Amino acid sequence: MADLTTTFIGIKSPNPFWLASAPPTDKEYNVRRAFEAGWGGVVWKTLGAEGPPVVNVNGPRYGVIYGADRQVMGINNIELITDRDLHTNLAEIKRVKADYPDRAIIASIMVPCEEEAWKAILPLVEDTGADGIELNFGCPHGMSERGMGAAVGQVPEYIEMVTRWCKQYYSKPVIVKLTPNISDIRYPARAAHDGGADAVSLINTVSSITSVNLDSFSPEPSIDGKGSHGGFCGPAVKPIALNMVAEIARDPKAPGLPISGIGGVTTWRDAAEFMVLGAGNVQVCTAAMTYGFKIVEEMKRGLSDWMDEKGYSSTADFIGKAVPNVTDWQYLNLNAISKAKISQDDCIQCGRCYAACEDTSHQAISMSADRVFEVIDAECVACNLCVDVCPVEDCITMERLPAGTVDPRTGKVVSDDYANWTTHPNNPGAVAAE
């Protein structure tokens, strides 16, 4: 059996599945249930400074985007950081850590962007015995309007400054949680790296309005006829998260920066994809809120089975495996030619491939009078749209043309010079690649 034990920035946990800082980690009761269900760690819901508690709305806090059969594809939330007293949270963290010494507990923190505010809270958190802290520079709503959360995460200079304060006044690992609401994720990651962060975590939620009530004309969730932008998370944001993780993992200006991957992790496969793109572990929120804490058992079993199948004995064996294969468009192999092929045995003659290609793409699929659909190789550019819209898995596939054959679309002989494309004279990026 594969060993799921994971060591991330020196913090050991029995598996790489942590709960993200969010409603599921808001109190001792929840966290104990999570650990009993098998989660490897938690990031405690974000703590604020001493003083008057944060006040959350007492009405709908979530808006949802559904897929087929009401599958939850994403949740928009307008909930703020914990509204529970700081010292109550600290006492609970201390008790839970004492009872579960083998599980990772990270304290998420958000206080004003002032050195004294950070200097005051860090010793209190350290006294709990938590394994590290996560600086919440990602929350895009409510707190950002108060100069915290994403308001800090969008300014690299602030990220570096606060990270330096935390490394000065706190002795354990410091993780910086990044906002996706920025044009280039590499700049805040570099700032965290330069400030001495032990790791970054990403992505936090995407600023969004999920829907508008067409009777009251207010965004959902609606409070007394008014709505506000919130933070969007769940399976729908996974592609954004994977890209940002990969961008940091291959950035030479933040070399070796450990990453905790967040954003739509629902299955073991999602977790594996984040990890092969450079994440040392993953954090989960929406899946737990949708299906309950026991979903982690499916994640652990699936990841373990996949590792056994691949011959990996530990998670360290495959972390970052896909990073060398992530490149810029200019370095893609323009000598590679493929064509779509339709399996007539599997085709149900629905015509979706034909409609999509005929109306919106390259008119590369023909339809006979008796509804037989075939690819016109002379028009096919292998865009993959027909594969994507076909309701029958593997009915349409892309097949590579072998070297030496003639591409019926261009009339050119397919080159066999695949391996050296990076330096091939026909490659517009060849000079830059060298």
Side-chain angles (χ1 to χ4, degrees), residues 133-399:
I133 58 174
E134 183 179 81
L135 314 185
N136 186 342
F137 294 157
C139 184
H141 59 277
M143 305 308 294
S144 58
E145 288 122 356
R146 308 177 194 190
M148 293 180 277
V152 178
Q154 292 167 339
V155 185
E157 293 81 4
Y158 291 172
I159 293 174
E160 181 175 351
M161 176 178 68
V162 177
T163 303
R164 288 189 186 279
W165 293 341
C166 292
K167 290 300 294 182
Q168 179 181 352
Y169 300 121
Y170 184 73
S171 66
K172 292 184 178 181
V174 175
I175 303 170
V176 174
K177 191 173 188 179
L178 302 179
T179 176
N181 302 295
I182 193 165
S183 59
D184 192 333
I185 196 65
R186 294 174 299 177
Y187 290 101
R190 291 169 186 172
H193 177 268
D194 294 344
D198 296 278
V200 292
S201 59
L202 69 152
I203 58 174
N204 206 311
T205 53
V206 179
S207 187
S208 63
I209 292 176
T210 50
S211 62
V212 178
N213 186 307
L214 294 180
D215 292 318
S216 65
F217 300 105
S218 62
E220 299 286 4
S222 179
I223 306 296
D224 197 24
K226 301 291 183 181
S228 176
H229 73 277
F232 190 60
C233 58
V237 309
K238 177 189 162 190
I240 300 170
L242 287 177
N243 175 62
M244 290 188 170
V245 166
E247 286 295 281
I248 295 173
R250 68 191 188 99
D251 183 10
K253 294 187 178 181
L257 182 62
I259 301 168
S260 182
I262 313 170
V265 177
T266 307
T267 68
W268 70 267
R269 184 178 294 274
D270 298 328
E273 290 177 11
F274 272 92
M275 295 173 77
V276 298
L277 282 176
N281 69 2
V282 293
Q283 296 183 33
V284 180
C285 172
T286 306
M289 293 177 70
T290 304
Y291 302 108
F293 285 151
K294 290 185 179 180
I295 192 174
V296 74
E297 286 301 328
E298 295 180 18
M299 295 178 177
K300 290 192 299 181
R301 183 169 58 251
L303 184 62
S304 178
D305 290 346
W306 175 76
M307 289 170 62
D308 287 340
E309 178 185 327
K310 294 292 185 181
Y312 297 132
S313 59
S314 74
T315 57
D317 293 342
F318 62 88
I319 291 172
K321 277 277 190 180
V323 175
N325 294 325
V326 181
T327 189
D328 296 332
W329 190 96
Q330 63 181 339
Y331 304 129
L332 297 177
N333 186 354
L334 300 187
N335 287 331
I337 307 294
S338 296
K339 300 293 179 183
K341 183 177 181 180
I342 301 173
S343 168
Q344 299 302 330
D345 291 337
D346 296 316
C347 180
I348 61 173
Q349 299 181 318
C350 67
R352 287 176 62 179
C353 63
Y354 173 79
C357 189
E358 188 71 14
D359 290 349
T360 70
S361 290
H362 298 276
Q363 297 75 53
I365 295 178
S366 65
M367 179 177 68
S368 69
D370 55 349
R371 296 186 67 83
V372 173
F373 300 94
E374 295 182 312
V375 175
I376 305 170
D377 286 348
E379 302 297 336
C380 180
V381 300
C383 70
N384 212 55
L385 179 61
C386 57
V387 176
D388 294 336
V389 302
C390 179
V392 180
E393 188 173 4
D394 296 328
C395 175
I396 307 177
T397 54
M398 286 294 166
E399 296 194 358

Side-chain angles (χ1 to χ4, degrees), residues 34 85 120 278:
D85 176 72

